Amino acid sequence: MWLKCFISNHVNMKLLKTCVILLLVYMLLFTLRNMDLLQIHFEENSIIFLKKVTSAPSTSPASAPYMPDNFCTIKPLSSAEAEEERLILDSIAWPETPPLPAPFSLNQTSNAAHSTFIILPGGVGDERHVGDQLEVIIQMYNFQGNPKKSGGDAIVARLHNRALEAGVAGRVVDLLNGSYSAVFSLLWEGSAQVEVTLVHSSEAVTVLRRLNRDHPDRVRFQSVFRSGSISESTICNVCLRQTSQPQCNYTDLHTGDPWFCYKPKNLSCDARFNHMKTGYNSVLKTEELKLFQRNVNLKVFIPASGPASVTVLPRRKGQPAVNQDSGKSGLSGYYYQGLWQSLGGFNVHQFNNNSAISQCLKGKVVHMYGDSTIRQWFEYLDASLPEAKAVNLNSPKPAGPYMIWENTNKIMINAEFMRIKTLPLQAKFLAELDKYTYLIKAFSNKEGAAG
């Protein structure tokens, strides 16, 4: 409209002023929409929430060497967040692992076939009773049959009885000298078989640490940007390597979860249309691949040196029951006869038939959110409520939402899968962004949620 004003030979002054104002507003909006640089200074511990804007390009040339320490810098943490991070890191703390031998030789790495475990003697007469502790010592050897001198192997241990459908996890302790102890609580009468598995060698753990430190972007994601007939694709991730190309910041305003995409050359950050996983970057070196071989050094059973099972007798008279906080195993529970048995005073209700499930859910509305695991629970409940009917919501598969209604007991179950999973969503299919959200946001939008 303003262009016509300027080319008209018969325009009055009032209309001309209006056109000039519209022209200035248009230029301002155009400038704001296409800004490529935005620098905002925040105090320490603040969160940068800049949705759909671009960050300043790096001053380094595109061919600058990669700096792992500066690659993935997350926002400063508040004191509460820092304490939470410390507790999480302490809970998963892992011993230092040795560097790979140079030159690399698989023969010097941990080998399950040469390693062994032995059950330590028990009490009087080597009798074992329910409530006792069973301790196992594991000694790691390399492929040449020489004992390892350092720790860091990823080892899991369990005690089980297939006939009783019973099983309990053991607490594995790294003794930092190539040997490990595994402690179990004896919780049922009869046979108890020890099983020890080498999940990863200490050398493989060294490699995995390097990958997590230097290649957090080894899963590849991309988004399509579209405006009219113009379409561009760029790489996206939780953090991106600094290049001369600006980045679009899509940090979630509600959760603070970071997400970035390289800005397309000819489109704005607002033009982002979808998200998908495109594959994995090959970051393992040739010799490192040898550390991840099934049936060789990846999830391989370690044989016993001597008996691998014990016979457990009834609890001694006056012996206290196993408690979650007692002993060295730190158990929360175990399986017996195919059912989970909780320890530490927690009462777990068992619903063994359809009637019990119906009575529990009577008059309730159940919201189920998650992935394929929650889908299985939804399908199980659907099959366990014979009178329940599916409500057709014309929902796309596999995301949902889905609904079933059982009229007799007034039970409603709503379920959504994938839709409440968001970035980084590892989906091979194209995901339309407006159909996905974070779980915490889905909860906060429900009636009765704490917010």
Side-chain angles (χ1 to χ4, degrees), residues 57 101 103 129 133 210 240 324 352 363 379 396 439 442 445:
H129 292 261
Q133 298 282 330
R210 178 184 67 80
L240 297 172
Q324 179 183 2
N352 300 321
E379 293 172 350
L439 181 59
N445 291 332

Side-chain angles (χ1 to χ4, degrees), residues 10-231:
H10 306 283
V11 61
N12 58 44
M13 186 58 67
K14 184 176 180 180
L15 183 59
L16 178 60
K17 289 181 179 180
T18 302
C19 292
V20 171
I21 293 173
L22 290 174
L23 176 61
L24 291 173
V25 172
Y26 176 85
M27 292 176 65
L28 178 61
L29 292 175
F30 181 85
T31 301
L32 291 174
R33 182 175 177 82
N34 292 274
M35 287 176 66
D36 284 339
L37 303 177
L38 180 61
Q39 295 181 340
I40 298 180
H41 298 283
F42 289 88
E43 296 179 357
E44 187 176 359
N45 297 333
S46 65
I47 301 175
I48 301 176
F49 292 140
L50 305 178
K51 190 173 184 180
K52 296 184 178 179
V53 297
T54 57
S55 60
S58 171
T59 56
S60 304
S63 58
Y66 164 55
M67 301 293 291
D69 292 340
N70 299 325
F71 169 34
C72 197
T73 303
I74 306 299
K75 67 177 178 68
L77 300 177
S78 67
S79 57
E81 290 172 330
E83 176 63 14
E84 182 180 8
E85 180 189 57
R86 185 190 65 79
L87 293 173
I88 292 174
L89 292 177
D90 287 348
S91 71
I92 61 173
W94 201 260
E96 287 298 317
T97 52
L100 297 186
F104 178 80
S105 172
L106 188 65
N107 289 334
Q108 299 179 44
T109 66
S110 301
N111 174 246
H114 283 90
S115 303
T116 61
F117 73 84
I118 185 171
I119 298 175
L120 297 184
V124 179
D126 202 23
E127 286 186 349
R128 318 279 180 167
H129 292 261
V130 172
D132 288 348
Q133 298 282 330
L134 177 70
E135 187 168 4
V136 169
I137 293 296
I138 305 157
Q139 179 61 56
M140 297 302 299
Y141 291 80
N142 63 24
F143 279 80
Q144 293 176 322
N146 299 319
K148 297 291 294 292
K149 301 298 183 182
S150 59
D153 297 289
I155 295 172
V156 296
R158 69 166 181 153
L159 198 66
H160 66 95
N161 182 318
R162 295 186 184 278
L164 293 176
E165 296 183 87
V168 64
R171 180 171 180 261
V172 178
V173 177
D174 192 336
L175 303 179
L176 305 178
N177 59 3
S179 59
Y180 304 77
S181 72
V183 178
F184 307 89
S185 292
L186 300 179
L187 298 162
W188 61 83
E189 297 178 25
S191 176
Q193 178 86 23
V194 177
E195 186 178 278
V196 181
T197 304
L198 173 66
V199 179
H200 285 302
S201 67
S202 58
E203 292 79 13
V205 173
T206 297
V207 172
L208 293 174
R209 277 179 160 165
R210 178 184 67 80
L211 296 184
N212 285 337
R213 182 187 68 246
D214 297 350
H215 299 279
D217 59 343
R218 57 189 178 274
V219 182
R220 297 196 306 271
F221 300 97
Q222 76 173 31
S223 278
V224 174
F225 294 74
R226 183 180 299 167
S227 179
S229 61
I230 303 175
S231 180

